[in-house]
């Protein structure tokens, strides 16, 4: 296991470098951030001086190696807009994003696993059709549309839930206040993930239920509960773990839009602000973090394979 983890980390290093090169190239093709400063109150000489100070007058590849060299020394650069260290900005916004992602993932699993098992066990029943219909609706409805619909119903019409922020302005927050602000963003993210996961879990459990050893277990009179939850679910966990591992990067990207809609003070709101102002260092910092999240999620998924199924050997 240790050798496998070290091997995967060594493979991840050139992958990370390749991702950062592509991201930096695309970002430079979008235009210079100094174009946002040009106007009647800012002279061309001032813009040119700023360009030289930021090193934007150099070729693309030199700019990239300068950024990479600073990164290797633990410096992610400074925001062009706010002049704050990028690492501090990411650190201050990472907590709310992880909180929102973690709760959404947990809620989606609590919805998807029981629903998927029930749908597979009661195949072609009315309950099965209801669960499958919900899964298609959950995975098909756009997140921003569901967000606006929830805001209209629970904030505008009923006035039950706040529509923006993480805490109520003028208060110290607290668990109940944060929980009220999280309800709608969590519903949107969890619904989308649960819709996709239910179908995967249903298919995995259906395939396992048709195996010969489960028929033998039923014939021995073990009991329906143990047959499903001990034998069938355990062997269906490998595809379920795969789905969960794939959902983490998707959740990280989907949170960007949802945080923007609900003004959640996480990485999504910061990223959108950086993109609109072409804040290169902040954009590169978020892209690097996203790449690390994807690679770590894939590594954790592979490790979970061996824990769930002892027959899988990681060599």
């Amino acid at each position: 296991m240790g050798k496998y983890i070290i091997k995967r980390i060594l493979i991840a290093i050139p992958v990370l470098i390749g991702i950062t090169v592509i991201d930096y190239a695309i970002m430079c093709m979008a235009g210079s951030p100094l174009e946002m400063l040009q106007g009647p109150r800012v002279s061309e000489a001032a813009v040119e001086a700023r360009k030289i100070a930021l090193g934007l007058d150099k070729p693309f590849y030199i700019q990239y190696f300068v950024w990479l060299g600073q990164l290797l020394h633990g410096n992610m650069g400074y925001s062009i807009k706010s002049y704050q260290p990028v690492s501090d900005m990411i650190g201050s916004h990472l907590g709310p994003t992880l909180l929102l992602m973690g709760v959404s993932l947990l809620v989606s699993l609590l919805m998807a696993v029981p629903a998927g098992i029930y749908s597979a066990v009661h195949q072609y029943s009315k309950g099965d059709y209801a669960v499958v219909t919900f899964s298609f609706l959950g995975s098909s409805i756009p997140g921003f549309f569901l967000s606006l619909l929830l805001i209209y119903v629970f904030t505008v019409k009923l006035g039950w839930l706040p529509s923006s922020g993480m805490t109520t302005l003028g208060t110290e927050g607290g668990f109940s206040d944060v929980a009220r602000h999280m309800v709608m963003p969590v519903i949107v993210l969890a619904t989308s993930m649960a819709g996709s996961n239910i179908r995967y879990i249903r298919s995995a459990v259906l395939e396992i239920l048709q195996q010969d050893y489960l028929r033998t277990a039923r014939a021995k009179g073990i009991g329906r509960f143990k047959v499903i939850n001990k034998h069938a679910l355990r062997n269906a966990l490998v595809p379920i773990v795969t789905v969960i591992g794939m959902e983490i990067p998707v959740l990280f990207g989907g949170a960007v839009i949802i945080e923007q809609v609900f003004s959640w003070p996480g990485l999504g709101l910061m990223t959108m602000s950086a993109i609109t102002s072409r804040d290169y260092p902040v954009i590169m910092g978020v892209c690097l973090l996203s790449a690390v999240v994807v690679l770590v999620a894939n590594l954790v998924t592979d490790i979970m394979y061996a824990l769930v199924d002892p027959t899988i050997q990681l060599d």
Side-chain angles (χ1 to χ4, degrees), residues 176-191:
S176 60
D177 189 28
V178 174
R180 291 181 66 247
H181 283 79
M182 288 182 62
V183 171
M184 289 193 289
V186 168
I187 289 176
V188 175
L189 291 173
T191 300

Side-chain angles (χ1 to χ4, degrees), residues 142-165:
F144 70 90
F145 177 78
L146 182 58
S147 301
L148 297 177
L149 182 62
L150 293 177
I151 291 173
Y152 177 75
V153 173
F154 292 105
T155 303
V156 178
K157 287 296 183 181
L158 300 177
W160 290 354
L161 298 171
S163 62
S164 62

Side-chain angles (χ1 to χ4, degrees), residues 3-301:
K3 293 181 179 179
Y4 176 80
I5 294 175
I6 294 174
K7 180 181 177 181
R8 286 294 299 271
I9 292 175
L10 293 177
I11 294 175
I13 294 175
V15 173
L16 274 177
I17 294 176
I19 292 173
T20 56
V21 171
I22 295 174
D23 289 341
Y24 207 94
I26 295 175
M27 185 178 62
C28 290
M29 290 171 60
S32 172
L34 298 180
E35 294 177 1
M36 312 295 291
L37 300 177
Q38 293 179 354
R41 296 185 178 181
V42 181
S43 63
E44 294 184 3
V47 173
E48 188 65 25
R50 181 68 173 160
K51 183 177 182 179
I52 296 173
L54 294 174
L56 299 178
D57 58 324
K58 299 180 175 64
F60 150 74
Y61 60 91
I62 295 180
Q63 294 182 43
Y64 171 77
F65 283 115
V66 170
W67 174 83
L68 184 62
Q70 293 177 346
L71 180 65
L72 295 177
H73 287 85
N75 180 17
M76 300 182 71
Y78 294 86
S79 170
I80 297 176
K81 182 178 180 180
S82 64
Y83 305 102
Q84 293 179 333
V86 175
S87 56
D88 292 347
M89 294 178 63
I90 292 178
S92 62
H93 290 80
L94 183 60
T97 295
L98 292 179
L99 176 63
L100 183 62
M101 288 175 54
V103 175
S104 300
L105 182 60
L106 179 62
V107 172
S108 70
L109 292 178
L110 292 176
M111 294 167 58
V113 174
I117 296 174
Y118 174 85
S119 181
V121 174
H122 300 84
Q123 188 179 17
Y124 302 131
S125 65
K126 292 182 179 179
D128 178 29
Y129 289 128
V131 171
V132 172
T133 301
F134 169 78
S135 69
F136 277 109
L137 287 175
S139 58
S140 301
I141 187 170
F144 70 90
F145 177 78
L146 182 58
S147 301
L148 297 177
L149 182 62
L150 293 177
I151 291 173
Y152 177 75
V153 173
F154 292 105
T155 303
V156 178
K157 287 296 183 181
L158 300 177
W160 290 354
L161 298 171
S163 62
S164 62
M166 185 175 177
T167 57
T168 304
L169 294 176
T171 64
E172 296 181 358
F175 176 79
S176 60
D177 189 28
V178 174
R180 291 181 66 247
H181 283 79
M182 288 182 62
V183 171
M184 289 193 289
V186 168
I187 289 176
V188 175
L189 291 173
T191 300
S192 177
M193 287 188 296
S196 302
N197 292 342
I198 286 174
R199 287 179 292 160
Y200 286 111
I201 294 173
R202 179 181 182 272
S203 300
V205 175
L206 278 176
E207 183 179 355
I208 296 299
L209 288 176
Q210 297 172 1
Q211 300 298 321
D212 293 336
Y213 66 88
L214 283 185
R215 298 193 185 98
T216 305
R218 294 194 197 97
K220 289 181 178 180
I222 293 178
R224 186 178 181 182
F225 181 83
K226 287 187 176 181
V227 169
I228 295 173
N229 294 280
K230 184 177 180 180
H231 296 279
L233 183 60
R234 177 66 185 271
N235 290 277
L237 282 178
V238 172
I240 294 174
V241 168
T242 303
V243 172
I244 296 173
M246 293 171 59
E247 287 290 352
I248 293 177
V250 174
L251 178 61
F252 192 84
V256 173
I257 300 175
I258 303 306
E259 287 180 5
Q260 181 74 11
V261 175
F262 290 101
S263 298
W264 187 263
L267 288 175
L269 195 62
M270 184 189 73
T271 303
M272 293 301 295
S273 177
I275 291 174
T276 54
S277 60
R278 297 181 186 176
D279 198 342
Y280 284 2
V282 176
I283 296 174
M284 286 303 301
V286 175
C287 289
L288 179 64
L289 178 62
S290 302
V292 172
V293 168
V294 173
L295 293 174
V296 171
N298 291 335
L299 177 60
V300 173
T301 301

